[in-house]
Amino acid sequence: MRFLLIFLTMAFSVGCSLTPKMAPKLNVPSKPLLSKEIYQLSYSTELDSARIKSVQLPAHPIEKNNTVRIVADKVAMTDTLKSYIEQALQKQGLKVIEKYSADYVLNIHQLDLTFGPDKTYVLNRPKKSHALFTLVTQKSPSYQCRNIIASVSMRLTHVASSDVIWFAKSSIDSASFQGIPLQFSYTKEQKITNEHDILAFIVEQNSEQARIARAKEPVAIPQYVVEDIISGPEKSAGACSATEVSALSSAMHQKLSSILIDKINVL
């Protein structure tokens, strides 16, 4: 029995000596903290005020509670714009009616929309310069944006005498109407570009064969490679494309109509 124990002990010792020594498994290294910054850049263009012409003749003074009938059979006027004009007249103290016996008739003669020359928006210099601004200056120093011109003209006729006692016209372009710069956002963030390679290295080095080799010759885990990635631009404000500026047309006609009706002198 004693000889059997001695034999087993010797066999175990020999077995241990024949088992190759392996280095410990490698752990995935902690990732570095990555930064993310969002930059806002803007482009501006020359703006003009609405062009307004309004003439009122004194022959028939307009008084509060006078009645007005709106006629717009020569233009394509939406119900929304008609309602807006009615509200503007009521704000002036006038009553809008559908009857032919109204004191005055407001004729809407023009509701035009035409594309004018493109507007050039130039990059604005930020208060604090940065590398991204220099990059954008080289790539996109300006933008060419479509420009739509809206025009409205109307006149007010005294029904009893058929005298035109007020006529007015106004126009504005889409850039001046919105009156804001084009705003773009750029995102600058750090990203690890070799994460997949490091994971593949860890898996490979944790195989038995690699661990045996590392027991004799250690290896170093590659360092993470971090690069700055810039994405954008993403427009956050301002109309530029033909579709975007065309979408402003309804609001432009409403604004011009309001401006003109405000010019009517009501006693």
Side-chain angles (χ1 to χ4, degrees):
M1 185 67 179
R2 183 170 58 184
F3 290 107
L4 179 60
L5 291 173
I6 293 173
F7 175 77
L8 291 174
T9 302
M10 291 178 64
F12 180 76
S13 299
V14 172
C16 289
S17 63
L18 294 177
T19 302
K21 184 179 180 180
M22 292 191 295
K25 289 186 175 182
L26 298 178
N27 295 321
V28 178
S30 300
K31 297 179 184 179
L33 293 176
L34 304 177
S35 65
K36 180 178 180 179
E37 299 173 302
I38 297 178
Y39 295 90
Q40 292 282 348
L41 293 177
S42 64
Y43 294 75
S44 294
T45 190
E46 184 178 352
L47 303 179
D48 297 316
S49 301
R51 297 172 181 85
I52 304 169
K53 180 181 180 181
S54 175
V55 178
Q56 184 166 340
L57 304 176
H60 305 279
I62 306 171
E63 300 179 350
K64 288 188 182 299
N65 294 319
N66 279 165
T67 55
V68 179
R69 181 169 62 92
I70 299 173
V71 175
D73 51 1
K74 295 183 180 180
V75 296
M77 186 168 68
T78 64
D79 291 339
T80 301
L81 180 57
K82 183 179 180 182
S83 177
Y84 194 87
I85 292 175
E86 289 176 354
Q87 292 175 23
L89 291 169
Q90 291 166 1
K91 186 178 177 181
Q92 288 284 70
L94 301 174
K95 293 183 179 180
V96 180
I97 63 174
E98 298 292 335
K99 298 179 180 180
Y100 284 86
S101 58
D103 298 315
Y104 296 93
V105 171
L106 179 68
N107 288 95
I108 312 299
H109 282 282
Q110 182 185 31
L111 290 174
D112 287 348
L113 291 169
T114 56
F115 277 103
D118 289 353
K119 299 288 284 189
T120 301
Y121 283 77
V122 180
L123 180 62
N124 296 321
R125 179 175 292 277
K127 294 181 179 179
K128 184 178 180 181
S129 187
H130 45 76
L132 181 60
F133 173 74
T134 303
L135 177 64
V136 174
T137 299
Q138 296 171 351
K139 291 187 174 182
S140 305
S142 64
Y143 276 93
Q144 294 294 119
C145 293
R146 299 304 304 273
N147 187 38
I148 197 168
I149 301 171
S151 300
V152 174
S153 68
M154 53 184 71
R155 71 184 183 190
L156 196 63
T157 303
H158 184 247
V159 173
S161 63
S162 298
D163 293 336
V164 175
I165 61 158
W166 173 80
F167 55 91
K169 182 176 182 179
S170 183
S171 63
I172 194 170
D173 63 69
S174 53
S176 301
F177 171 74
Q178 57 183 334
I180 59 174
L182 296 179
Q183 293 279 356
F184 292 91
S185 62
Y186 291 81
T187 301
K188 179 182 177 182
E189 57 185 326
Q190 293 181 320
K191 290 188 176 181
I192 298 172
T193 60
N194 65 335
E195 183 176 1
H196 177 76
D197 295 337
I198 290 178
L199 292 176
F201 178 85
I202 296 294
V203 171
E204 179 186 355
Q205 290 298 321
N206 282 342
S207 67
E208 289 190 3
Q209 185 177 359
R211 290 174 64 190
I212 293 172
R214 284 195 289 109
K216 298 178 180 179
E217 187 176 348
V219 296
I221 300 175
Q223 298 291 317
Y224 286 113
V225 176
V226 177
E227 293 184 2
D228 290 335
I229 306 297
I230 298 175
S231 60
E234 293 185 3
K235 187 155 63 64
S236 55
C240 186
S241 68
T243 300
E244 290 171 338
V245 298
S246 295
L248 299 173
S249 59
S250 177
M252 293 170 71
H253 278 154
Q254 290 178 14
K255 180 65 176 179
L256 293 176
S257 298
S258 177
I259 290 173
L260 293 184
I261 292 174
D262 282 347
K263 296 293 183 181
I264 300 176
N265 182 25
V266 180
L267 300 179

